Amino acid sequence: MTVRTVLGIRRWRRNPVCRATDRHEAWVALAALLLMLLAAPLLGWKAGSLTDDALRQAVRAQHEQRRLTAAVVVRAAPGTSRFARDPEAAVAEDSMRRSVVADWLAPDGTTRTGTVSTASTETAPGTPIEVWTDARGNLVMRPMDLSSAHTHAVLAGIGAALLAGGLTESVRRLVVWRMMQRRYARLDRAWAEVGPDWGRTGTGS
């Protein structure tokens, strides 16, 4: 497509009936095409790479700061905990999780109680489960894994590339629209100059 555009511009340059604005529009279209084919993917790759690096650091930090802690079910919970839904779990898997009130020990030895979620089919009082806690023993979400981080980075890169391509096309349309407005303005001025004498005998003699 790029080769056809270049060849078309070369033919237009030699065409005596081709207007200068037509050639300008063709150059704008070629520049936009090159940006969408080259710059947009490069920007998407860069954004995805930076996002992947940032998420990998976040994953390492989360795994260092969070840990699995043994807990014991106290009773079933009627409501939903803010830790009951896992943003990385599938819908079917997430719908099978149950909210329970559980007790666990914090690193300082104090007993903590809270509403948590569990995928265990056994939720009777006294059932042992595992919960994610931070260094102080507070409940936290399960840390992100590397595969999820990579997926988010890929999506971020694709989104950045699409955004760059869409922005480039929007700028191209705006530039072409402005060029057309100027062309119409010149035509209106030219018509205003010759219009009053149009059709009169001897005009221009």
Side-chain angles (χ1 to χ4, degrees), residues 30-186:
L30 177 60
L33 180 62
L34 291 176
L35 287 175
M36 286 188 286
L37 292 180
L38 301 177
L42 180 61
L43 179 62
W45 174 82
K46 188 63 176 180
S49 179
L50 293 176
T51 303
D52 189 60
D53 292 340
L55 289 178
R56 285 178 180 273
Q57 294 179 5
V59 168
R60 286 194 295 267
Q62 290 180 5
H63 280 274
E64 291 174 357
Q65 299 169 0
R66 304 177 186 183
R67 62 177 184 175
L68 277 174
T69 303
V72 178
V73 176
V74 176
R75 64 180 182 276
T80 302
S81 168
R82 57 187 287 253
F83 306 100
R85 296 189 63 83
D86 187 345
E88 298 179 25
V91 176
E93 177 185 349
D94 190 66
S95 62
M96 297 175 61
R97 302 182 70 87
R98 302 178 182 181
S99 296
V100 296
V101 176
D103 289 340
W104 66 94
L105 289 179
D108 59 4
T110 59
T111 301
R112 303 291 181 86
T113 302
T115 302
V116 298
S117 68
T118 177
S120 175
T121 57
E122 295 294 333
T123 56
T127 302
I129 60 174
E130 289 183 327
V131 296
W132 284 99
T133 61
D134 60 15
R136 296 182 178 181
N138 299 318
L139 288 174
V140 292
M141 295 295 297
R142 178 172 67 89
M144 182 185 299
D145 54 41
L146 287 177
S147 61
S148 297
H150 182 67
T151 300
H152 292 322
V154 170
L155 293 177
I158 294 175
L162 293 177
L163 181 61
L167 182 61
T168 301
E169 175 62 15
S170 299
V171 172
R172 184 196 69 82
R173 289 176 179 269
L174 179 61
V175 171
V176 171
W177 177 79
R178 289 290 299 170
M179 294 173 65
M180 293 181 62
Q181 293 296 315
R182 293 178 181 177
R183 179 194 303 170
Y184 293 150
R186 288 195 297 268

